Amino acid sequence: MVVIGAFFILFMLGFPVTASILIPSAAYLLLNGFPLEMIAQRIQHTLNSYTLTAVPLFILVGNLMNRAGITSRMYHFADTAVGRVPGGLAQVNIFYSLIFAAKSGAALADIGAMGQIHIKAMKDKGFSVPYSAAVSVASAIIGPITPPSIPIILYASIAGVSVIRLLLSGIVPGLLLCAALMAVTVVLAYRRKYPRAERWSTGRELWAAFYPALPSILTPALLVFGMLSGMFTPTEAAAITVSYLLLISLFYRELTLRGIGEALLETVKSSCSVLIIVGAASLFGWILAIEQVPQTFSVFLLSISSNPLVLLAILNLILLVVGLVLDSTTATLLLVPIVIPPLVSVGIDPVHLGIVFVFNIMMGLVTPPMGLALFMISKVGNVAIKDVIKELLPYYIPLIVVLLICTYFPAIVLWIPNMIQ
């Protein structure tokens, strides 16, 4: 417990996450007579993972999309398809996040790639900048829930559960969240008289927007079909997606060798920032296992109740609080070994828990004080965080409702993954 306390103290003092993890871990090793070589051994052992190879590959997917003209075509199709729905471009923002989710699997990637474009387009149509930013932040959560999801891949690698089942289990929750966010937007649009397209798009106009975006839109179908049929693993799916995007970029003729080089460089930077935390947290988790922290927490939690419904409620509360102060990657790596075992011991499906866990942690991205998505959208849109939060308040309702549905109706989450059994 001293190691955990030291981590939080260093983190609150402003130390980088990696340093906050490694400093107390190194001190523990020295004080207990372990060789410092254990640091390199544990990190190397964790990163030498076939599953984790999917992380940089899916990051590369998002970077390639931004440089191949794919995002603009997808945005035009989303605008043509749902621009007439009450809420107009706000609905386009949400619908686009569902489409884009199948490419990057990261909320911050969505905001970074399209946040400024969404905000400018909505501002030009008469929406306020804070509201435009709030919609962009709320809809960005769809990405990490639906496949391919980087947080889900990290969870699966730590919890030792099927990556394919976990990725497939996010499809229905992602669709539910998209529908719920769009429903709230309809209500707000009628109450605030938000602008929308003057008429529904004709079949010809819809086809004209759909046809150029079709190769990109087919990507999620390719991923889901491949995993459902057992044709390839998630890591192979990531590699196939990269190859597919390079292929269709030839069709679009907008991706240059320089663009590929820039995408690779950005991927290296992003991957290193994620994987160095993964490696450091693996050492931290090993120390927690030696100190039997997971077992101690299990005993404590089960002493409160052995009712799965009660334990799920406690899990939601713990994760929502943790999400307020820790980023999603750190929270996933540190908490999964501690909080998941006691719930699995009472019969809760670890795949179901994976979606509940990731959903909770992703909500931390849009809640202060940590709220990395809030900081990013503030920078991208040049808008005050407090103004974004004010406009974001109505969207917390669908987030919480869908979280509760996923928590207490596991059949909804497990419906698609159970199809592969």
Side-chain angles (χ1 to χ4, degrees):
M1 298 303 291
V2 174
V3 178
I4 297 177
F7 162 75
F8 277 105
I9 291 174
L10 292 174
F11 183 77
M12 294 302 178
L13 289 175
F15 280 70
V17 172
T18 306
S20 300
I21 295 174
L22 286 179
I23 291 175
S25 298
Y28 176 90
L29 294 178
L30 288 173
L31 293 174
N32 288 274
F34 290 101
L36 283 180
E37 290 84 347
M38 287 296 301
I39 297 177
Q41 290 176 2
R42 295 305 308 177
I43 292 176
Q44 190 276 336
H45 174 75
T46 299
L47 296 184
N48 186 22
S49 168
Y50 178 72
T51 300
L52 289 179
T53 307
V55 173
L57 286 172
F58 279 128
I59 293 175
L60 178 59
V61 167
N63 289 327
L64 287 174
M65 283 182 57
N66 295 335
R67 290 165 175 82
I70 294 174
T71 53
S72 59
R73 289 177 173 84
M74 292 169 61
Y75 186 84
H76 178 60
F77 168 67
D79 188 11
T80 305
V82 299
R84 176 59 181 168
V85 177
L89 284 182
Q91 302 286 15
V92 174
N93 193 331
I94 297 169
F95 185 65
Y96 177 84
S97 292
L98 178 65
I99 302 174
F100 189 84
K103 304 296 187 300
S104 71
L108 298 183
D110 188 353
I111 295 172
M114 292 297 293
Q116 194 170 26
I117 296 175
H118 284 314
I119 292 173
K120 184 181 184 306
M122 292 178 68
K123 180 182 176 182
D124 291 344
K125 289 292 185 178
F127 293 88
S128 70
V129 173
Y131 175 75
S132 304
V135 175
S136 299
V137 166
S139 62
I141 294 181
I142 297 173
I145 297 174
T146 53
S149 165
I150 293 173
I152 283 180
I153 293 172
L154 291 178
Y155 173 95
S157 66
I158 299 167
V161 298
S162 169
V163 181
I164 292 179
R165 285 178 56 81
L166 265 171
L167 289 172
L168 294 175
S169 68
I171 295 176
V172 174
L175 293 172
L176 281 176
L177 180 56
C178 180
L181 292 173
M182 294 182 78
V184 169
T185 302
V186 168
V187 175
L188 292 176
Y190 276 119
R191 294 178 61 181
R192 302 179 182 181
K193 303 187 185 307
Y194 283 142
R196 56 173 169 165
E198 296 181 357
R199 60 179 178 81
W200 289 102
S201 300
T202 64
R204 178 174 296 181
E205 290 170 334
L206 192 60
W207 173 253
F210 175 73
Y211 179 73
L214 178 60
S216 178
I217 295 173
L218 286 176
T219 306
L222 174 67
L223 290 172
V224 173
F225 174 77
M227 289 188 290
L228 273 175
S229 63
M231 292 176 61
F232 41 74
T233 67
T235 302
E236 292 167 345
I240 289 171
T241 303
V242 171
S243 302
Y244 179 71
L245 284 176
L246 289 173
L247 179 63
I248 64 175
S249 69
L250 296 176
F251 172 76
Y252 290 138
R253 297 182 180 179
E254 293 187 18
L255 184 61
T256 63
L257 289 175
R258 181 177 179 179
I260 294 175
E262 291 173 347
L264 289 171
L265 180 60
E266 187 61 34
T267 299
V268 170
K269 293 178 181 178
S270 301
S271 300
C272 288
S273 65
V274 172
L275 295 177
I276 193 173
I277 298 176
V278 173
S282 68
L283 174 64
F284 197 82
W286 179 73
I287 292 173
L288 295 181
I290 291 177
E291 292 296 312
Q292 296 188 331
V293 172
Q295 293 88 333
T296 302
F297 181 79
S298 295
V299 172
F300 168 73
L301 198 59
L302 293 176
S303 68
I304 298 175
S305 175
S306 59
N307 187 318
L309 299 180
V310 175
L311 292 179
L312 284 170
I314 295 174
L315 175 68
N316 280 334
L317 290 174
I318 292 174
L319 295 178
L320 287 174
V321 172
V322 170
L324 298 179
V325 295
L326 289 182
D327 67 273
S328 59
T329 300
T330 306
T332 300
L333 295 167
L334 296 183
L335 290 182
V336 168
I338 298 175
V339 303
I340 297 304
L343 283 89
V344 173
S345 70
V346 296
I348 302 176
D349 193 303
V351 173
H352 170 220
L353 285 175
I355 294 300
V356 175
F357 189 101
V358 171
F359 203 128
N360 272 287
I361 296 301
M362 289 305 110
M363 286 184 63
L365 291 175
V366 300
T367 50
M370 192 65 182
L372 292 181
L374 295 175
F375 287 108
M376 176 170 280
I377 202 66
S378 174
K379 181 179 179 181
V380 169
N382 192 25
V383 57
I385 291 179
K386 63 180 179 64
D387 295 332
V388 178
I389 294 174
K390 181 179 178 181
E391 293 288 354
L392 192 59
L393 290 177
Y395 288 103
Y396 286 125
I397 297 174
L399 291 176
I400 294 173
V401 168
V402 175
L403 172 61
L404 292 176
I405 291 174
C406 293
T407 300
Y408 292 109
F409 296 93
I412 293 177
V413 175
L414 299 174
W415 174 51
I416 293 181
N418 284 342
M419 292 171 60
I420 67 175
Q421 288 184 339

